[in-house]
Amino acid sequence: MSGVPIADHALLSDCHTAALVTRHGSVDWLCCPRFDSPSVFARLLDDDAGHWSIRPLGPFTATRRYLDQTLVLETTFHTPTGTLAVTDAMAVGPNEHPHGHSLGVGAPHMLVRGVSCRDGEVRMRLRFEPRAEYGLLRPLMSHVAGGLNVRGGPEWLMLSSPMELTCAQSTAYGEVTLRVGDELWFALHRSTWGLEPARIWDQDEIADWMTVTVQSWRAWSKLHQNYEGPWRDLVHHSGRVLQGLTFRPSGAIVAAPTTSLPESVGGERNWDYRFAWVRDASFTMEALWVAACPDEAGDFFTFMTTAAAGAIGPDYPLQIMFGVNGEHDLTERTLPHLRGWRDSAPVRVGNGAWNQHQIDVYGELLGAAHLLADKLSEIDDDIRAFLVALADAAVARCREPDHGIWEVRGEPRHFVYSKVMCWVALDRAIALADRLQAADRVPAWSAARDEIRERVLREGWSDTAGAFTQYFGSTDLDASCLMMPIVGFLPADDPRMLATIEAIADRLTDERGLVYRYRTEGGVDGLAGDEGTFLLCTFWLAHALAEAGRVNRATEVFERAAAYANDVGLLSEEVDPRTGELLGNFPQAFSHIGLVNAAWSITRAQHRAAL
């Protein structure tokens, strides 16, 4: 059983795929060549599914950090006899664009690891167990000059190693003693049929790849990260995490680089998050604007509109999510040979929510377009017509039930958040009407927008609950209602909105003050079991409080949620309400997006209060 705490992992990225490294120096997750490709290492989900560890032999303690302004990880092992440092990175290649936008363009699809003895002497152990196709395949492994040749299935791997390794049963291992000043460099290079073959790299070449990777990340950070405020380091780091979750060839941003890390230990709420959701669009755009730059926001918007473009209308709903190259068919299947993290089965690849009906997505895309309003004059007629069609579809579908933002697998309902986002779709379309060359549609859009607003105020409010609720006629609370003031549906200081904020803060939180999405006991999502509190929803609470002028409370809630970042500043999706440990796919883009947007809102509220 794989049981390393989720928080014990750190992210590496080349803006094509990602690796997760434990605090004990083991690469326990790597998919090649894309985020959503089958894994080469998947010990994260099963002890027998592959890993690559470099660590001292014998007892040690470990500390780690990212090198300044990078996603290059340095782990320092302290032993009774000396100190060993391991530096890990996915090589990104040179960042040669004059504005620093080419991070990852020249990525060689290579994991680079450097080992150096800082003082004394340390006996080091290496163990290399590649297991392609989610652990199904045990490759052929042979010695070549300077390393190992590893073949099997679609993968061709070359491991560059300066130390002698023994191979047995598709596993390589070895030990070596390093003394102060000694340095070793390792590289795992990947290719497959039809690509330039992977090869062995010498020590100077690998060291150069590491140097270039550090320089490229720092060049990107220097040119992109301009937020100044009380949480500068958190916001900037979250910006780098979002960049690390970006698939550079298309501009897609994955929700997380992992699959099937559970929402409750031993439960069935295990999903594949290695895709790009329309749901995230406007939130992501705002976060990129703060923590990166408008160009990255523009790339993501271009991906979303290109992937989603097609027949949109009453008979053709907008798909809610896509593969990283814009793929539409994300059919879900289970991998029964994997036991799952802490026996949390099933392990899933693909995501069955791809063909769900969700009407909030029209608002998310048009909200994203509104953020890029100044650039819309540059779009072509096809995308302009597509955005107009989104607004028309919101008019046609706003009266329908759907599966909502949380993608419930129960029956469709009239979710309040979905209706609010249809209102957003029409509100933003009206604001963009001139740029969309759609002034003739404004009367119809305005009438539908007003109808949605009146219906939400009438049917979305519950006197019994004293709040806006999850769906029409319900008394159940839902954290997505915190978005109502954030998107401008109601002022945050409206008495009904203040009552909703207080109800959620009082009745939809655990004893730590972290916010649940909703209560699972009612069975609205059609799934068994419970789940943790959601960090995104807790940041939404901070954001809504800031919009209402409750700056001190907003700050308190923000810092409560941000404190759950692990030792290298990464957030998962959820927190276990019993143990306080991180749960869910990791690191979670939505959590970092929520952090950035809440920090920005509180910073603005502080400035307003100081006037």
Side-chain angles (χ1 to χ4, degrees):
M1 178 186 75
S2 174
V4 175
I6 291 170
D8 277 9
H9 295 87
L11 172 74
L12 311 177
S13 172
D14 62 359
C15 301
H16 291 258
T17 189
L20 295 185
V21 188
T22 72
R23 68 171 64 249
H24 289 174
S26 180
V27 181
D28 279 5
W29 182 253
L30 174 64
C31 298
C32 292
R34 307 187 340 175
F35 290 104
D36 57 351
S37 298
S39 63
V40 171
F41 303 128
R43 189 160 71 167
L44 181 68
L45 298 174
D46 191 296
D47 281 341
D48 298 326
H51 75 286
W52 178 16
S53 65
I54 296 176
R55 58 187 289 184
L57 180 65
F60 63 83
T61 59
T63 57
R64 57 187 182 167
R65 66 182 182 115
Y66 284 116
L67 300 186
D68 185 46
Q69 301 180 77
T70 76
L71 287 185
V72 175
L73 181 71
E74 180 186 77
T75 305
T76 303
F77 297 101
H78 306 275
T79 78
T81 61
T83 303
L84 192 74
V86 178
T87 306
D88 292 323
M90 296 292 294
V92 297
N95 188 0
E96 295 176 336
H97 189 283
H99 299 296
H101 296 306
S102 61
L103 187 70
V105 168
H109 304 291
M110 186 161 64
L111 172 60
V112 177
R113 313 192 74 181
V115 183
S116 62
C117 184
R118 299 284 175 82
D119 63 67
E121 66 176 38
V122 180
R123 185 75 174 170
M124 185 199 89
R125 170 182 287 173
L126 180 149
R127 188 173 182 88
F128 176 67
E129 291 186 7
R131 299 290 184 266
E133 299 206 47
Y134 300 109
L136 282 176
L137 195 151
R138 289 177 171 263
L140 299 172
M141 193 175 282
S142 59
H143 290 94
V144 296
L148 298 176
N149 185 9
V150 183
R151 292 182 186 238
E155 301 301 324
W156 180 6
L157 305 174
M158 296 293 283
L159 177 66
S160 301
S161 172
M163 59 183 284
E164 184 176 340
L165 299 174
T166 300
C167 295
Q169 298 181 332
S170 300
T171 299
Y173 53 90
E175 296 177 8
V176 66
T177 298
L178 279 74
R179 295 174 176 82
V180 62
D182 288 347
E183 188 173 76
L184 303 177
W185 290 96
F186 302 84
L188 181 62
H189 193 191
R190 182 263 180 196
S191 67
T192 189
W193 310 106
L195 298 180
E196 182 179 345
R199 70 175 180 90
I200 296 296
W201 301 81
D202 66 34
Q203 293 290 282
D204 288 341
E205 288 176 315
I206 301 171
D208 286 344
W209 276 116
M210 181 66 79
T211 298
V212 167
T213 297
V214 171
Q215 291 172 343
S216 293
W217 273 107
R218 286 177 175 165
W220 183 89
S221 296
K222 181 179 179 180
L223 290 165
H224 287 73
Q225 307 209 290
N226 300 310
Y227 165 85
E228 296 295 336
W231 302 288
R232 179 180 182 274
D233 290 344
L234 279 172
V235 169
H236 286 190
H237 183 57
S238 291
R240 288 190 290 275
V241 172
L242 294 177
Q243 181 67 11
L245 298 179
T246 299
F247 185 63
R248 185 64 183 85
S250 69
I253 299 176
V254 296
T258 57
T259 181
S260 301
L261 293 179
E263 297 175 9
S264 62
V265 178
E268 66 171 336
R269 299 167 184 264
N270 317 319
W271 316 114
D272 192 346
Y273 274 17
R274 299 171 298 162
F275 308 112
W277 267 257
V278 176
R279 172 199 65 196
D280 302 359
S282 57
F283 312 133
T284 304
M285 295 277 287
E286 291 180 13
L288 290 175
W289 210 280
V290 174
C293 85
D295 286 60
E296 267 69 21
D299 289 346
F300 181 60
F301 178 75
T302 298
F303 165 77
M304 274 296 173
T305 52
T306 302
I312 298 294
D315 299 322
Y316 300 96
L318 176 65
Q319 186 162 317
I320 69 166
M321 58 193 293
F322 305 97
V324 295
N325 255 340
E327 298 88 351
H328 284 230
D329 185 351
L330 307 178
T331 299
E332 183 176 293
R333 62 189 176 96
T334 62
L335 302 178
H337 67 283
L338 294 178
R339 289 169 285 185
W341 182 80
R342 294 190 185 170
D343 286 333
S344 299
V347 171
R348 295 179 169 96
V349 294
N351 195 305
W354 71 275
N355 57 4
Q356 280 191 355
H357 177 42
Q358 293 179 26
I359 62 175
D360 59 297
V361 291
Y362 304 111
E364 270 106 21
L365 265 187
L366 280 160
H370 187 257
L371 289 170
L372 284 177
D374 291 342
K375 291 195 172 188
L376 289 186
S377 59
E378 304 169 12
I379 65 173
D380 58 35
D381 290 340
D382 289 339
I383 297 301
R384 189 175 292 109
F386 169 67
L387 294 175
V388 170
L390 290 178
D392 289 343
V395 172
R397 293 183 170 273
C398 64
R399 300 176 186 86
E400 298 176 1
D402 75 335
H403 290 94
I405 183 177
W406 306 128
E407 297 167 358
V408 301
R409 300 203 176 191
E411 64 179 274
R413 300 177 188 266
H414 290 283
F415 288 102
V416 169
Y417 177 82
S418 296
K419 308 303 183 187
V420 168
M421 292 310 293
C422 281
W423 178 91
V424 169
L426 297 168
D427 183 73
R428 303 322 190 248
I430 292 165
L432 294 170
D434 288 343
R435 287 185 171 88
L436 297 178
Q437 300 173 13
D440 59 315
R441 282 178 162 83
V442 169
W445 291 347
S446 297
R449 179 187 63 173
D450 294 344
E451 178 188 334
I452 294 168
R453 178 183 173 83
E454 189 277 331
R455 193 176 180 199
V456 168
L457 295 178
R458 184 182 69 249
E459 300 183 53
W461 174 265
S462 166
D463 287 331
T464 301
F468 289 105
T469 58
Q470 186 174 52
Y471 54 89
F472 290 173
S474 170
T475 59
D476 296 332
L477 298 176
D478 191 302
S480 62
C481 288
L482 292 168
M483 288 300 298
M484 295 170 75
I486 294 171
V487 301
F489 182 84
L490 274 180
D493 59 358
D494 181 285
R496 294 161 295 184
M497 203 62 249
L498 287 173
T500 301
I501 293 171
E502 293 301 333
I504 290 171
D506 182 51
R507 308 201 302 269
L508 200 60
T509 55
D510 68 356
E511 62 184 17
R512 295 178 174 84
L514 303 178
V515 180
Y516 291 97
R517 295 189 298 178
Y518 51 83
R519 298 289 183 180
T520 59
E521 294 88 344
V524 68
D525 58 16
L527 297 167
D530 56 10
E531 62 184 27
T533 52
F534 263 62
L535 288 167
L536 168 67
C537 297
T538 309
F539 285 122
W540 279 352
L541 177 58
H543 195 156
L545 285 166
E547 295 297 315
R550 290 6 185 210
V551 179
N552 291 338
R553 282 187 63 196
T555 300
E556 179 185 335
V557 172
F558 176 91
E559 292 183 342
R560 183 185 305 149
Y564 283 89
N566 72 355
D567 59 314
V568 288
L570 302 177
L571 293 165
S572 70
E573 183 176 42
E574 303 182 27
V575 175
D576 190 314
R578 292 170 293 276
T579 66
E581 121 177 92
L582 296 182
L583 292 175
N585 285 304
F586 180 84
Q588 175 71 217
F590 233 176
S591 297
H592 286 277
I593 288 163
L595 182 153
V596 171
N597 291 338
W600 178 236
S601 179
I602 296 170
T603 300
R604 288 182 298 169
Q606 289 171 336
H607 289 162
R608 289 194 299 269
L611 295 177

